[in-house]
Amino acid sequence: MRANRKRVGVALGSGGMRGMAHIGILQVLEEAGIPIDMISGASVGAFVGAAYAAEMDLYALGAFAAKLRRRDVLDPPDPFRTGLFSGRKFQRLCGIVTDNRTFSETCVPFWCSAVDLDTGETRYLHSGPLSLAVRASIAIPALLHPAVIGDRTYIDGGTVEAIPVDILRENGADVVIGVDLSIPAPYVKRRSNAYRVAFRSVDIMRAAIDRLAPCRADVIIRPDVSFMSRIVPHDAAKCIAIGRAAAAKLLPEIRALLDR
């Protein structure tokens, strides 16, 4: 790489357990020698981004993800508060993959998006424990309890901005690679439950937001992970492989951008 090379940012989008594709995408970028100077994430993108920023080996992360089961991710139901699940297990998982690091201990700058429940504004968390910030970013409305950090209450960062691109540009990224896990397939009517209603509601909101403010990344990687559940971890290895294939397909375009 040239000494005056362009600075690269990677923005990992939301998408529940489909976000295991992020692992394969980062593996391919690393194998190809594409530098990652900064990283951002929303929801599950924050989880994988935090693990990368905390220097967890990507192949070990993939093996870890492949072993996850529903009981490892979701707490016993707690439907009488502000969500079906507390989110404590997910926060502990994040503590494991980040080695309980703080933002000041990451190998590259990392921002984690979350939405302030009081103001409705997106905030980019950039200090304190990584696991707590990621817990805030994955607080899917009605499913996980909102996260409280200081005097603020946060919900899922993907609620307003599915792919946090702008924060990377504001911090000097010349080229931004975005990962879009949204599934444009038509809604298939099934027997409703809390999960399907919550995720369908989020899909509707995001589709409307995307029409008004489309993703402004220079390259957008869109792995087709529609086969995978967003709440139950299964087929992580297949999801990672699909992420790898999607990233490999766009490597020529990414290299061309860096060489301009």
Side-chain angles (χ1 to χ4, degrees), residues 210-223:
D210 288 344
R211 287 193 294 270
L212 294 172
C215 177
R216 297 193 301 150
D218 298 291
V219 177
I220 305 176
I221 302 173
R222 291 187 171 97

Side-chain angles (χ1 to χ4, degrees), residues 226-245:
S226 56
F227 72 94
M228 188 166 182
S229 165
R230 283 184 290 188
I231 195 70
V232 180
H234 74 286
D235 284 340
K238 180 179 177 181
C239 201
I240 291 168
I242 289 173
R244 289 184 60 88

Side-chain angles (χ1 to χ4, degrees), residues 107-128:
C107 64
V108 295
F110 168 63
W111 290 268
C112 173
S113 68
V115 174
D116 188 314
L117 187 59
D118 295 323
T119 67
E121 297 174 336
T122 296
R123 299 189 183 275
Y124 300 99
L125 307 179
H126 192 56
S127 63

Side-chain angles (χ1 to χ4, degrees), residues 76-132:
D78 183 15
F80 301 108
R81 295 179 60 198
T82 52
L84 284 174
F85 306 103
S86 72
R88 287 188 293 269
K89 281 190 175 181
F90 212 107
Q91 186 172 337
R92 284 196 293 271
L93 285 177
C94 190
I96 292 170
V97 301
T98 62
D99 196 26
N100 291 312
R101 292 194 189 187
T102 65
F103 280 88
S104 64
E105 298 171 312
T106 58
C107 64
V108 295
F110 168 63
W111 290 268
C112 173
S113 68
V115 174
D116 188 314
L117 187 59
D118 295 323
T119 67
E121 297 174 336
T122 296
R123 299 189 183 275
Y124 300 99
L125 307 179
H126 192 56
S127 63
L130 290 168
S131 60
L132 181 56

